[in-house]
Amino acid sequence: MKHKCPGNPLERYSSRREFFYVGLLGGLGLTLPQFLSNQARAATKTYGRHDAVAQGIIHIFLPGGIAHQESFDPKPFAPAEYRGPFGAIDTKIPGIQFSEFMKETAQIADKVTIIRSMSHGEAAHERGTHNMFTGYRPSPALEYPSIGSVISHELGSRNDLPPYVCVPSVPNEYANSGYLSSAFGPFALGADPAQGNFQVRDLNLPKGVDDARFAKRRSLLETVDHHFRTLEESDAIDSMDAFYQHAYQLISSQKAREAFDLKAEPDALKDEYGRTAAGQRMLLARRLIEGGVRFVSLTAGGWDHHDNLKAGIQKELPPTDKAIAALIRDLDRRGMLDSTLVMVTSEFGRTPKINATGGRDHWPRVFSTMLAGGGMKQGYVHGASDSLGGEVDTDGVGVADLATTIYHQIGINSDSELMSPGNRPIEIVDGGQVLDALLAKKA
């Protein structure tokens, strides 16, 4: 049965088993070769690249707009109506405090960079989310690709794994491939790793198809390909055969299956991350990066606290805090932190003053983000908001600057151009600057 999926273009108007499922490979003939063709081109592409510091990126998105005052930028000396319901705690960075519900992240603050001076002009969820996922303001004339899709386009796949994965699903329409081919869209798990029976769809052979039948189907496809090649010799058909060969390698890859196998992680580590949605998503993200995925995007919690901010933060922040800290510690123990860039973002912050219903409303004029690993400074706070948390005070950072810096760390020149429909060249990022102040000095 076919269905519409509002997120991933690769999933629209297709079976739930569309991507890796061997039984439907023939039905994917129009999209899978395109996907593999683009990945093959990306693997040999050098324009727009330079030496990378980060080999993979984990983007932790906090949807709804987390209050910077209740997370990375508390205002303990502001009047009560601005300070909010919570206290502040010291961190491993001397003189820097976080919200009292970020006690775990406070203990690894000496491993991260905090930007307290992010800003943009979009107070609507959709537009703010667009900014953070693409590095561009929304345009009525063009759909911009997400950072993950650009990385997929520029760098291609590695170790038989999709270059761009969303956990557990495509979080919003701006996480997709925009004006680029849908071949560069994300692969979505289709299941949440926090579920007890978690299993990624499409990585296993269909029920009733064993290895022998899999090989037979491959042989049948090769026979059909050979027939058409005898009728029409062309580069397109020869390349199509190569793409199908790659497709079978991808489908049958033991590396891919192992990368998605969360059961291989010890129980003690699962407990360290937390047996929560945030915890298990971040644990799987680390596993995927370790396996060779280039960009993993995941969501944690819900932060649109217009009402009763106190209860919302008390519920959502502790498991998210625990998981973020566990991820940084885990990457560090494994020697992966230097080569893995972790970014924690939200679409905007919240108003400096608590409203009449005990919440905070949308506020894009200043908010906070966190970066760790991937060549970023450790134990560093960049910029500041004013005393009430309402405006940028020093060293403002724009969305294009953040995106440019992220691309720079993974080895992509953001001023290089992609081709939009109509062969119009579009810069990967328009006008952003690499934030050198955030980068660790090379030894």
Side-chain angles (χ1 to χ4, degrees):
M1 179 178 179
K2 295 185 178 182
H3 72 291
K4 293 184 180 181
C5 174
N8 187 353
L10 284 171
E11 295 178 346
R12 291 177 187 158
Y13 306 107
S14 61
S15 154
R16 282 186 54 82
R17 300 177 292 178
E18 76 289 352
F19 193 72
F20 285 109
Y21 222 60
V22 180
L24 296 181
L25 183 60
L28 287 174
L30 297 177
T31 57
L32 187 54
Q34 180 188 35
F35 169 79
L36 296 168
S37 171
N38 285 319
Q39 297 304 325
R41 284 198 296 271
T44 59
K45 189 170 181 268
T46 58
Y47 174 70
R49 290 194 196 174
H50 58 261
D51 291 340
V53 177
Q55 299 302 311
I57 297 174
I58 298 173
H59 181 199
I60 301 166
F61 187 66
L62 309 179
I66 189 171
H68 49 289
Q69 304 91 332
E70 275 69 51
S71 55
F72 296 108
D73 192 13
K75 299 297 177 182
F77 304 112
E81 64 269 29
Y82 292 89
R83 182 173 65 246
F86 303 121
I89 58 173
D90 292 335
T91 72
K92 284 290 187 73
I93 307 174
I96 297 299
Q97 294 187 314
F98 290 168
S99 164
E100 66 176 277
F101 283 96
M102 296 199 73
K103 61 181 181 180
E104 296 286 343
T105 306
Q107 293 304 305
I108 54 91
D110 58 335
K111 301 289 185 184
V112 310
T113 279
I114 304 297
I115 303 174
R116 284 180 165 176
S117 54
M118 283 296 304
S119 180
H120 61 68
E122 306 293 346
H125 287 292
E126 295 80 6
R127 296 179 68 85
T129 300
H130 183 284
N131 282 0
M132 302 309 292
F133 273 79
T134 69
Y136 269 91
R137 293 186 65 184
S139 168
L142 196 63
E143 292 185 22
Y144 291 100
S146 66
I147 293 173
S149 289
V150 171
I151 289 173
S152 175
H153 179 274
E154 294 294 292
L155 301 182
S157 61
R158 179 171 55 191
N159 294 350
D160 294 334
L161 283 161
Y164 174 24
V165 176
C166 284
V167 179
S169 59
V170 182
N172 55 71
E173 60 186 296
Y174 313 115
N176 280 310
S177 55
Y179 60 73
L180 296 176
S181 165
S182 61
F184 302 111
F187 171 62
L189 302 188
D192 196 320
Q195 296 173 349
N197 59 347
F198 168 69
Q199 185 176 13
V200 180
R201 70 170 194 251
D202 309 333
L203 285 182
N204 298 310
L205 296 175
K207 186 176 182 180
V209 178
D210 56 17
D211 289 339
R213 189 176 176 189
F214 173 76
K216 183 177 180 181
R217 289 188 177 185
R218 178 174 183 172
S219 177
L220 286 171
L221 181 60
E222 289 172 345
T223 301
V224 173
D225 286 346
H226 176 74
H227 170 74
F228 281 101
R229 276 199 304 273
T230 61
L231 298 178
E232 181 183 355
E233 294 291 337
S234 72
D235 291 339
I237 291 180
D238 289 340
S239 61
M240 185 82 73
D241 179 68
F243 302 150
Y244 277 122
Q245 295 293 332
H246 190 179
Y248 275 107
Q249 293 172 8
L250 186 65
I251 293 163
S252 61
S253 170
Q254 186 64 27
K255 289 181 180 179
R257 295 179 187 180
E258 289 176 354
F260 287 93
D261 184 11
L262 201 54
K263 294 178 182 177
E265 297 293 339
D267 287 342
L269 189 59
K270 292 178 181 178
D271 292 338
E272 182 181 347
Y273 276 81
R275 305 274 184 152
T276 61
Q280 298 308 292
R281 290 173 188 183
M282 292 186 208
L283 177 55
L284 181 61
R286 188 231 78 210
R287 190 171 181 84
L288 292 174
I289 292 294
E290 192 173 30
V293 174
R294 298 187 187 275
F295 191 95
V296 178
S297 181
L298 65 93
T299 58
W303 309 92
D304 196 18
H305 296 140
H306 292 277
D307 309 303
N308 199 358
L309 173 81
K310 183 177 181 180
I313 291 293
Q314 287 175 326
K315 175 185 176 183
E316 299 286 359
L317 193 49
T320 303
D321 167 59
K322 179 182 177 74
I324 290 172
L327 174 63
I328 301 304
R329 291 190 185 104
D330 193 13
L331 290 169
D332 197 27
R333 285 194 301 261
R334 293 169 184 271
M336 293 175 60
L337 189 58
D338 288 344
S339 62
T340 305
L341 177 56
V342 178
M343 50 188 292
V344 181
T345 74
S346 199
E347 61 260 48
F348 40 55
R350 311 300 291 192
T351 49
K353 190 174 183 179
I354 298 289
N355 64 27
T357 57
R360 297 185 192 266
D361 301 313
H362 302 176
W363 195 257
R365 292 163 71 168
V366 67
F367 58 104
S368 299
T369 60
M370 189 195 95
L371 302 171
M376 295 294 163
K377 285 181 178 176
Q378 296 190 349
Y380 174 64
V381 176
H382 183 84
S385 63
D386 65 18
S387 61
L388 299 180
E391 302 286 346
V392 171
D393 188 41
T394 59
D395 297 321
V397 174
V399 172
D401 299 322
L402 179 63
T404 296
T405 304
I406 297 304
Y407 284 128
H408 178 271
Q409 293 306 97
I410 204 167
I412 296 172
N413 293 324
S414 63
D415 57 355
S416 60
E417 295 175 336
L418 305 174
M419 301 305 293
S420 70
N423 291 323
R424 176 188 171 194
I426 305 292
E427 287 185 323
I428 291 176
V429 181
D430 183 14
Q433 301 294 321
V434 176
L435 297 168
D436 291 323
L438 275 59
L439 308 183
K441 292 182 179 179
K442 295 181 180 179

